[in-house]
Amino acid sequence: MKNWMIALFFNVIQIVSAHATPALFSDNVLTLGDAIVVEGENTRYYQDVRLSPTPNGDFKVLGGVEKALATVTELTVTVIETDPVQVEVGVSGYMANPCIDLNSAVTRKGRTFYVVVGETPLQTLVACAQVTQPFELEIPLDVRGLDSGDYVVMVNGDSIEFDLD
């Protein structure tokens, strides 16, 4: 497996989840409850991921459960001129079926925000219709203290730009 550029979030990550698992570093292996892995234009979302540091300072993914990403069909960015300024990314798309719970995570590296919208199957005792389910989300971006200029938001591999004044 190739070395991966890892966007790790401890306090920065914003995950819609009921239980957060603390990060664990033991025997030169870092274990995270949730992590976004970014390699070039590819974004993956993992649960219970195990990472090992490499000599060049990157991390290598040793294992984990890759979460399915929701399909994104439209992105919008709204800059709300308040004090302080607020920014929200609007995400429209569809889930694989109606028995899915959506969760999202956000991190930033430089002038690029990485957002994932992941699918978690609901534990249900009833049969689930295998039809796609549309969704719309508004996800806030933490822009406090950022310089003015152009920024990029990557959501499940799709991108949109916005200008911060």
Side-chain angles (χ1 to χ4, degrees):
M1 191 177 287
K2 294 182 178 181
N3 292 338
W4 293 80
M5 295 294 294
I6 304 295
L8 299 176
F9 339 88
F10 298 102
N11 296 326
V12 178
I13 194 164
Q14 300 171 4
I15 295 180
V16 179
S17 176
H19 304 284
T21 305
L24 172 67
F25 186 72
S26 177
D27 297 327
N28 211 34
V29 173
L30 178 63
T31 303
L32 302 172
D34 288 285
I36 299 171
V37 177
V38 178
E39 182 181 39
E41 297 294 315
N42 296 324
T43 305
R44 290 184 172 84
Y45 189 25
Y46 285 95
Q47 177 181 0
D48 299 326
V49 66
R50 295 182 334 276
L51 307 167
S52 176
T54 64
N56 67 356
D58 288 341
F59 284 88
K60 178 181 177 183
V61 176
L62 300 177
V65 178
E66 189 169 352
K67 289 185 168 187
L69 298 178
T71 301
V72 173
T73 57
E74 185 178 349
L75 296 175
T76 60
V77 174
T78 304
V79 178
I80 305 165
E81 300 294 337
T82 57
D83 188 19
V85 68
Q86 298 175 46
V87 178
E88 292 181 342
V89 60
V91 182
S92 298
Y94 59 88
M95 303 177 288
N97 64 61
C99 300
I100 296 287
D101 188 25
L102 288 180
N103 50 60
S104 62
V106 179
T107 193
R108 180 183 59 83
K109 183 175 182 181
R111 291 185 171 266
T112 302
F113 288 87
Y114 294 95
V115 179
V116 293
V117 178
E119 297 182 340
T120 302
L122 295 173
Q123 300 297 327
T124 178
L125 298 176
V126 293
C128 185
Q130 295 302 305
V131 296
T132 58
Q133 176 73 32
F135 73 86
E136 290 184 8
L137 296 174
E138 292 291 329
I139 302 169
L141 302 178
D142 185 1
V143 296
R144 289 175 294 169
L146 294 182
D147 293 333
S148 297
D150 295 329
Y151 288 84
V152 175
V153 182
M154 299 286 300
V155 181
N156 292 11
D158 293 334
S159 67
I160 189 169
E161 296 180 8
F162 71 94
D163 185 51
L164 195 57
D165 292 330

